[in-house]
C-alpha cells in the first residue's frame, strides 16, 4: 500500500531511492516532484523525511523534460545565490549571473550575456552610476515602491518556508513583504502572527521575520525581544523588564529547579527502572523466570539505578546550572547594557 495515496500497488510500482529507504508509488512521487519543482522548492526532500533526493532519482521520476530543465536551473541558481561574490544582472528579462570575486575596489561590472552587456554596480547591484554614490537599498515602506514593476522581481521573488506565506497576490501590505538577509530575495508572508522562523527557498537562509537576521535555534530564547509567535517584537520597556526579571530572579528559579530536579532524578530513575523490569511483556525473557529470579532481577536493577542516578543528577546539575548562569549573567546582562 502506498503511504501517500493509500492504494494497493504491485511491488514494481514502488521505485527505490538512493537517499533513503522510504517507498511511494510512481504516480505519487511524480506528482510530488512536479509540484515541488514548480514552486522552486529545490533541492527536493523525500516526502517522508528531510533527506534530499538525488538528482539522478529526480531526473528519472520527472515526466516532463521542461521540468527537468527547471530543476537543473533552480539547483544552479540556489548554488549561485548562496555565493556572496555572485551578482545578478539588473536588466529586465535577463537572468545572467556574474562571478564578481575581488571586485569591491573596481565595482563596475558588465553582463556577459550575448545581446545584453548591461553595466551595473558591484555594491548596490543597480545600473552603473559613474557620477554618484550608490543608491540606497530599495525600501518597502510603501506597497507600490517595489510592486509597481513586477518584472524587476524576476530574480528575487520567492516564498519562505515556516509560518504562513503566499505568492502571486500583489495587493498586500508593505509589512507582508521583506527581503532575505542573505540573498535579497523578496519574501511574502501572511502577517497573521504565525511562526516567525522563516526559511528562504532560494538560498536556504534561516532567518527571523521580525528582525531579519540569520538565526540559530536559540534566537527566540535570547533577550532580543523577538517572539516565535506574534506580529512584532516586544517593546523596549517590556524587553528591559523581562531581562531585569531574568537577572534578578535567576538565582531563585535555578535553586527551585535544582531542588526539584535532584530528588526527581535520584528517586525517579530507580523507580522507572524497577517498573520497566517488572513490566516485562509475556514474550520477554523475564516471563520464563521463577518468582525468586524475577525479584532478584528487579532488585538488582533498582540497586544499580540507585548507584547510577546520583551520577546522572550531579552531571545534570553540574553542567546545566553553569550554562544557565553563563547565559543569564553573560548574554542577558550584555544585552541589557546595550
Amino acid at each position: 500500500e502506498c503511504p501517500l495515496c493509500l492504494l494497493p500497488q504491485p511491488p514494481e510500482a514502488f521505485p527505490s531511492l538512493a537517499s533513503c529507504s522510504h517507498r511511494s508509488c510512481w504516480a505519487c512521487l511524480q506528482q510530488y516532484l512536479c509540484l515541488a519543482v514548480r514552486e522552486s522548492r529545490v533541492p527536493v526532500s523525500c516526502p517522508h523525511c528531510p533527506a534530499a533526493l538525488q538528482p539522478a532519482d529526480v531526473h528519472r521520476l520527472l515526466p516532463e523534460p521542461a521540468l527537468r530543465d527547471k530543476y537543473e536551473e533552480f539547483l544552479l541558481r540556489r548554488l549561485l545565490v548562496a555565493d556572496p561574490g555572485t551578482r545578478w544582472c539588473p536588466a529586465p528579462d535577463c537572468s545572467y549571473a556574474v562571478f564578481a570575486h575581488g571586485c569591491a575596489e573596481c565595482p563596475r561590472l558588465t553582463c556577459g550575456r550575448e545581446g545584453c552587456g548591461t553595466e551595473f554596480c558591484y555594491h548596490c547591484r543597480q545600473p552603473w552610476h559613474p557620477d554618484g554614490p550608490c543608491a540606497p537599498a530599495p525600501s518597502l515602506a510603501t506597497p507600490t515602491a517595489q510592486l509597481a514593476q513586477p518584472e524587476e522581481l524576476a530574480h528575487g521573488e520567492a516564498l519562505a518556508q515556516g509560518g504562513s506565506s503566499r505568492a502571486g497576490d500583489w495587493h498586500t501590505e508593505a509589512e507582508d513583504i521583506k527581503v532575505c538577509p542573505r540573498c535579497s530575495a523578496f519574501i511574502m508572508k501572511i502577517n497573521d502572527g504565525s511562526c516567525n522562523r522563516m526559511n528562504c527557498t532560494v538560498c536556504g537562509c534561516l532567518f527571523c521575520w521580525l528582525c531579519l537576521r540569520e538565526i540559530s535555534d536559540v534566537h527566540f530564547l535570547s533577550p532580543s525581544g523577538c517572539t516565535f509567535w506574534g506580529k512584532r517584537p516586544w517593546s523596549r520597556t517590556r524587553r528591559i523588564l523581562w531581562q531585569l526579571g531574568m537577572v534578578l530572579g535567576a538565582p531563585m528559579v535555578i535553586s527551585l529547579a535544582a531542588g526539584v530536579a535532584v530528588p526527581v532524578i535520584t528517586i525517579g530513575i530507580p523507580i522507572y527502572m524497577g517498573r520497566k523490569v517488572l513490566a516485562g511483556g509475556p514474550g520477554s525473557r523475564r516471563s520464563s523466570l521463577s518468582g525468586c529470579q524475577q525479584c532478584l532481577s528487579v532488585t538488582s536493577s533498582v540497586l544499580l539505578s540507585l548507584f547510577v542516578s546520583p551520577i546522572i543528577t550531579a552531571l545534570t546539575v553540574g553542567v546545566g546550572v553553569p550554562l544557565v548562569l553563563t547565559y543569564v549573567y553573560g548574554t542577558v546582562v550584555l544585552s541589557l547594557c546595550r
Side-chain angles (χ1 to χ4, degrees):
E1 183 180 275
C2 174
L4 296 180
C5 64
L6 303 179
L7 295 177
Q9 305 280 355
E12 58 270 16
F14 294 85
S16 60
L17 301 175
S19 58
C20 62
S21 60
H22 293 112
R23 297 289 181 268
S24 301
C25 69
W26 275 92
C28 289
L29 281 177
Q30 287 181 343
Q31 185 176 3
Y32 169 75
L33 285 173
C34 290
L35 182 62
V37 172
R38 289 192 178 104
E39 293 181 351
S40 73
R41 289 188 279 113
V42 175
V44 186
S45 60
C46 169
H48 306 286
C49 70
L53 299 182
Q54 296 296 321
D57 289 336
V58 176
H59 275 271
R60 178 165 56 95
L61 294 168
L62 280 176
E64 302 175 17
L67 286 177
R68 297 179 200 141
D69 294 339
K70 279 185 174 292
Y71 172 75
E72 293 289 343
E73 180 184 353
F74 288 147
L75 274 182
L76 177 61
R77 289 174 70 86
R78 179 153 188 171
L79 178 65
L80 294 177
V81 165
D83 182 5
T86 301
R87 296 294 183 269
W88 299 91
C89 175
D93 302 325
C94 181
S95 58
Y96 201 82
V98 178
F99 295 98
H101 293 282
C103 296
E105 299 298 328
C106 182
R108 185 176 182 176
L109 303 178
T110 303
C111 177
R113 181 184 179 188
E114 184 178 355
C116 181
T118 300
E119 295 183 343
F120 58 100
C121 178
Y122 170 86
H123 297 294
C124 64
R125 313 184 189 195
Q126 300 299 317
W128 179 243
H129 45 85
D131 301 326
C134 290
S139 173
L140 296 176
T142 60
T144 58
Q146 290 300 321
L147 308 181
Q149 298 177 347
E151 68 274 4
E152 295 181 2
L153 309 183
H155 315 315
E157 178 185 337
L159 281 176
Q161 298 173 348
S164 302
S165 54
R166 66 174 183 262
D169 180 12
W170 297 109
H171 303 285
T172 182
E173 298 180 5
E175 61 181 3
D176 293 345
I177 305 173
K178 296 184 180 181
V179 176
C180 171
R182 181 186 297 175
C183 68
S184 300
F186 288 85
I187 308 296
M188 184 177 292
K189 174 181 180 289
I190 300 176
N191 193 16
D192 58 353
S194 56
C195 171
N196 291 312
R197 181 181 180 272
M198 310 300 292
N199 187 12
C200 178
T201 57
V202 177
C203 66
C205 175
L206 188 67
F207 67 95
C208 173
W209 179 257
L210 299 176
C211 65
L212 292 181
R213 296 177 183 173
E214 294 193 41
I215 62 174
S216 62
D217 293 335
V218 297
H219 174 77
F220 297 105
L221 298 177
S222 67
S224 61
C226 297
T227 56
F228 190 78
W229 308 98
K231 296 184 178 181
R232 54 186 58 87
W234 285 355
S235 65
R236 178 175 175 80
T237 302
R238 185 178 180 183
R239 188 168 67 249
I240 291 177
L241 289 176
W242 171 253
Q243 294 169 357
L244 285 173
M246 290 180 66
V247 172
L248 298 177
M252 181 177 62
V253 173
I254 292 174
S255 301
L256 181 62
V260 173
V262 168
V264 167
I265 297 176
T266 305
I267 301 174
I269 291 179
I271 294 176
Y272 171 79
M273 290 302 300
R275 291 174 61 88
K276 190 77 172 177
V277 174
L278 188 62
S284 66
R285 182 183 175 185
R286 188 194 64 82
S287 59
S288 61
L289 300 178
S290 64
C292 183
Q293 290 175 328
Q294 292 177 10
C295 182
L296 181 62
S297 176
V298 172
T299 304
S300 61
S301 64
V302 171
L303 291 177
L304 180 62
S305 301
L306 285 173
F307 174 76
V308 174
S309 59
I311 300 176
I312 298 177
T313 303
L315 289 175
T316 303
V317 176
V319 174
V321 171
L323 285 177
V324 174
L325 289 175
T326 301
Y327 170 75
V328 172
Y329 294 105
T331 305
V332 176
V333 170
L334 288 176
S335 177
L336 189 60
C337 293
R338 288 196 298 265

